[in-house]
PDB file of all heavy atoms in Angstrom:
ATOM      1  N   GLU A 282       6.228 116.722 100.133  1.00  0.00           N
ATOM      2  CA  GLU A 282       6.764 117.478  99.019  1.00  0.00           C
ATOM      3  C   GLU A 282       6.455 118.895  99.120  1.00  0.00           C
ATOM      4  O   GLU A 282       7.416 119.701  98.816  1.00  0.00           O
ATOM      5  CB  GLU A 282       6.349 116.912  97.664  1.00  0.00           C
ATOM      6  CG  GLU A 282       6.919 115.605  97.253  1.00  0.00           C
ATOM      7  CD  GLU A 282       6.471 115.144  95.890  1.00  0.00           C
ATOM      8  OE1 GLU A 282       5.917 115.920  95.218  1.00  0.00           O
ATOM      9  OE2 GLU A 282       6.870 113.958  95.520  1.00  0.00           O
ATOM     10  N   ASP A 283       5.294 119.257  99.621  1.00  0.00           N
ATOM     11  CA  ASP A 283       4.891 120.727  99.707  1.00  0.00           C
ATOM     12  C   ASP A 283       5.424 121.340 100.855  1.00  0.00           C
ATOM     13  O   ASP A 283       5.635 122.567 100.935  1.00  0.00           O
ATOM     14  CB  ASP A 283       3.396 120.778  99.579  1.00  0.00           C
ATOM     15  CG  ASP A 283       2.683 119.986 100.638  1.00  0.00           C
ATOM     16  OD1 ASP A 283       3.160 119.119 101.176  1.00  0.00           O
ATOM     17  OD2 ASP A 283       1.490 120.397 100.964  1.00  0.00           O
ATOM     18  N   LEU A 284       5.639 120.613 101.975  1.00  0.00           N
ATOM     19  CA  LEU A 284       6.038 121.244 103.223  1.00  0.00           C
ATOM     20  C   LEU A 284       7.489 120.873 103.593  1.00  0.00           C
ATOM     21  O   LEU A 284       8.219 121.638 104.336  1.00  0.00           O
ATOM     22  CB  LEU A 284       5.215 120.633 104.324  1.00  0.00           C
ATOM     23  CG  LEU A 284       3.693 121.132 104.284  1.00  0.00           C
ATOM     24  CD1 LEU A 284       2.924 120.380 105.397  1.00  0.00           C
ATOM     25  CD2 LEU A 284       3.497 122.631 104.437  1.00  0.00           C
ATOM     26  N   GLY A 285       7.940 119.737 103.146  1.00  0.00           N
ATOM     27  CA  GLY A 285       9.303 119.147 103.676  1.00  0.00           C
ATOM     28  C   GLY A 285      10.457 120.028 103.501  1.00  0.00           C
ATOM     29  O   GLY A 285      11.213 120.249 104.484  1.00  0.00           O
ATOM     30  N   PRO A 286      10.749 120.595 102.266  1.00  0.00           N
ATOM     31  CA  PRO A 286      11.951 121.294 102.135  1.00  0.00           C
ATOM     32  C   PRO A 286      12.036 122.493 103.140  1.00  0.00           C
ATOM     33  O   PRO A 286      13.088 122.626 103.844  1.00  0.00           O
ATOM     34  CB  PRO A 286      11.922 121.815 100.681  1.00  0.00           C
ATOM     35  CG  PRO A 286      11.074 120.720 100.065  1.00  0.00           C
ATOM     36  CD  PRO A 286      10.010 120.340 101.103  1.00  0.00           C
ATOM     37  N   ASP A 287      11.040 123.369 103.167  1.00  0.00           N
ATOM     38  CA  ASP A 287      11.148 124.479 104.081  1.00  0.00           C
ATOM     39  C   ASP A 287      11.101 124.085 105.557  1.00  0.00           C
ATOM     40  O   ASP A 287      11.831 124.646 106.338  1.00  0.00           O
ATOM     41  CB  ASP A 287       9.967 125.402 103.845  1.00  0.00           C
ATOM     42  CG  ASP A 287      10.181 126.233 102.488  1.00  0.00           C
ATOM     43  OD1 ASP A 287      11.293 126.291 102.004  1.00  0.00           O
ATOM     44  OD2 ASP A 287       9.115 126.775 102.017  1.00  0.00           O
ATOM     45  N   PHE A 288      10.384 123.040 105.816  1.00  0.00           N
ATOM     46  CA  PHE A 288      10.270 122.599 107.216  1.00  0.00           C
ATOM     47  C   PHE A 288      11.529 121.976 107.684  1.00  0.00           C
ATOM     48  O   PHE A 288      11.940 122.227 108.863  1.00  0.00           O
ATOM     49  CB  PHE A 288       9.046 121.592 107.471  1.00  0.00           C
ATOM     50  CG  PHE A 288       8.789 121.179 108.816  1.00  0.00           C
ATOM     51  CD1 PHE A 288       8.292 122.099 109.731  1.00  0.00           C
ATOM     52  CD2 PHE A 288       9.111 119.886 109.223  1.00  0.00           C
ATOM     53  CE1 PHE A 288       8.042 121.713 110.974  1.00  0.00           C
ATOM     54  CE2 PHE A 288       8.896 119.461 110.536  1.00  0.00           C
ATOM     55  CZ  PHE A 288       8.339 120.413 111.463  1.00  0.00           C
ATOM     56  N   ARG A 289      12.157 121.171 106.892  1.00  0.00           N
ATOM     57  CA  ARG A 289      13.489 120.572 107.296  1.00  0.00           C
ATOM     58  C   ARG A 289      14.467 121.637 107.464  1.00  0.00           C
ATOM     59  O   ARG A 289      15.374 121.532 108.385  1.00  0.00           O
ATOM     60  CB  ARG A 289      13.904 119.543 106.201  1.00  0.00           C
ATOM     61  CG  ARG A 289      13.026 118.263 106.151  1.00  0.00           C
ATOM     62  CD  ARG A 289      13.773 117.233 105.386  1.00  0.00           C
ATOM     63  NE  ARG A 289      13.959 117.628 103.927  1.00  0.00           N
ATOM     64  CZ  ARG A 289      13.088 117.358 102.976  1.00  0.00           C
ATOM     65  NH1 ARG A 289      11.933 116.759 103.235  1.00  0.00           N
ATOM     66  NH2 ARG A 289      13.307 117.782 101.719  1.00  0.00           N
ATOM     67  N   THR A 290      14.522 122.655 106.625  1.00  0.00           N
ATOM     68  CA  THR A 290      15.519 123.655 106.789  1.00  0.00           C
ATOM     69  C   THR A 290      15.303 124.432 108.164  1.00  0.00           C
ATOM     70  O   THR A 290      16.264 124.692 108.852  1.00  0.00           O
ATOM     71  CB  THR A 290      15.405 124.763 105.669  1.00  0.00           C
ATOM     72  OG1 THR A 290      15.611 124.138 104.371  1.00  0.00           O
ATOM     73  CG2 THR A 290      16.269 125.938 105.855  1.00  0.00           C
ATOM     74  N   TRP A 291      13.962 124.739 108.426  1.00  0.00           N
ATOM     75  CA  TRP A 291      13.721 125.376 109.793  1.00  0.00           C
ATOM     76  C   TRP A 291      14.071 124.434 110.867  1.00  0.00           C
ATOM     77  O   TRP A 291      14.681 124.880 111.890  1.00  0.00           O
ATOM     78  CB  TRP A 291      12.250 125.768 109.816  1.00  0.00           C
ATOM     79  CG  TRP A 291      11.878 126.272 111.143  1.00  0.00           C
ATOM     80  CD1 TRP A 291      12.008 127.481 111.637  1.00  0.00           C
ATOM     81  CD2 TRP A 291      11.351 125.485 112.251  1.00  0.00           C
ATOM     82  NE1 TRP A 291      11.608 127.544 112.987  1.00  0.00           N
ATOM     83  CE2 TRP A 291      11.226 126.286 113.376  1.00  0.00           C
ATOM     84  CE3 TRP A 291      11.028 124.141 112.455  1.00  0.00           C
ATOM     85  CZ2 TRP A 291      10.700 125.889 114.562  1.00  0.00           C
ATOM     86  CZ3 TRP A 291      10.599 123.602 113.626  1.00  0.00           C
ATOM     87  CH2 TRP A 291      10.413 124.456 114.706  1.00  0.00           C
ATOM     88  N   LEU A 292      13.750 123.172 110.739  1.00  0.00           N
ATOM     89  CA  LEU A 292      13.964 122.247 111.846  1.00  0.00           C
ATOM     90  C   LEU A 292      15.541 122.046 112.077  1.00  0.00           C
ATOM     91  O   LEU A 292      15.928 122.065 113.316  1.00  0.00           O
ATOM     92  CB  LEU A 292      13.467 120.905 111.513  1.00  0.00           C
ATOM     93  CG  LEU A 292      13.403 119.823 112.520  1.00  0.00           C
ATOM     94  CD1 LEU A 292      12.582 120.237 113.724  1.00  0.00           C
ATOM     95  CD2 LEU A 292      12.825 118.539 112.033  1.00  0.00           C
ATOM     96  N   ARG A 293      16.356 122.057 111.104  1.00  0.00           N
ATOM     97  CA  ARG A 293      17.832 121.955 111.223  1.00  0.00           C
ATOM     98  C   ARG A 293      18.243 123.189 111.977  1.00  0.00           C
ATOM     99  O   ARG A 293      19.134 123.100 112.884  1.00  0.00           O
ATOM    100  CB  ARG A 293      18.535 121.845 109.908  1.00  0.00           C
ATOM    101  CG  ARG A 293      18.294 120.512 109.168  1.00  0.00           C
ATOM    102  CD  ARG A 293      19.215 120.423 107.993  1.00  0.00           C
ATOM    103  NE  ARG A 293      18.915 119.216 107.112  1.00  0.00           N
ATOM    104  CZ  ARG A 293      18.149 119.365 106.043  1.00  0.00           C
ATOM    105  NH1 ARG A 293      17.781 120.600 105.654  1.00  0.00           N
ATOM    106  NH2 ARG A 293      17.871 118.344 105.340  1.00  0.00           N
ATOM    107  N   SER A 294      17.790 124.398 111.590  1.00  0.00           N
ATOM    108  CA  SER A 294      18.250 125.631 112.179  1.00  0.00           C
ATOM    109  C   SER A 294      17.727 125.694 113.671  1.00  0.00           C
ATOM    110  O   SER A 294      18.522 126.002 114.501  1.00  0.00           O
ATOM    111  CB  SER A 294      17.583 126.770 111.436  1.00  0.00           C
ATOM    112  OG  SER A 294      17.912 127.992 112.186  1.00  0.00           O
ATOM    113  N   TYR A 295      16.556 125.236 113.950  1.00  0.00           N
ATOM    114  CA  TYR A 295      16.026 125.222 115.305  1.00  0.00           C
ATOM    115  C   TYR A 295      16.819 124.311 116.214  1.00  0.00           C
ATOM    116  O   TYR A 295      17.204 124.645 117.292  1.00  0.00           O
ATOM    117  CB  TYR A 295      14.545 124.830 115.386  1.00  0.00           C
ATOM    118  CG  TYR A 295      14.001 124.680 116.724  1.00  0.00           C
ATOM    119  CD1 TYR A 295      13.593 125.832 117.509  1.00  0.00           C
ATOM    120  CD2 TYR A 295      13.826 123.403 117.288  1.00  0.00           C
ATOM    121  CE1 TYR A 295      13.089 125.625 118.689  1.00  0.00           C
ATOM    122  CE2 TYR A 295      13.311 123.196 118.554  1.00  0.00           C
ATOM    123  CZ  TYR A 295      12.946 124.351 119.283  1.00  0.00           C
ATOM    124  OH  TYR A 295      12.423 124.215 120.592  1.00  0.00           O
ATOM    125  N   VAL A 296      17.159 123.047 115.768  1.00  0.00           N
ATOM    126  CA  VAL A 296      17.930 122.084 116.522  1.00  0.00           C
ATOM    127  C   VAL A 296      19.378 122.620 116.759  1.00  0.00           C
ATOM    128  O   VAL A 296      19.837 122.506 117.848  1.00  0.00           O
ATOM    129  CB  VAL A 296      17.928 120.706 115.815  1.00  0.00           C
ATOM    130  CG1 VAL A 296      18.888 119.817 116.492  1.00  0.00           C
ATOM    131  CG2 VAL A 296      16.529 120.125 115.812  1.00  0.00           C
ATOM    132  N   ALA A 297      19.949 123.259 115.733  1.00  0.00           N
ATOM    133  CA  ALA A 297      21.276 123.625 115.862  1.00  0.00           C
ATOM    134  C   ALA A 297      21.292 124.762 116.973  1.00  0.00           C
ATOM    135  O   ALA A 297      22.221 124.880 117.754  1.00  0.00           O
ATOM    136  CB  ALA A 297      21.832 124.313 114.566  1.00  0.00           C
TER     137      ALA A 297
END
Side-chain angles (χ1 to χ4, degrees):
E282 291 183 3
D283 57 338
L284 297 172
D287 288 343
F288 185 69
R289 289 194 298 270
T290 299
W291 172 84
L292 190 60
R293 291 189 192 100
S294 175
Y295 174 78
V296 171

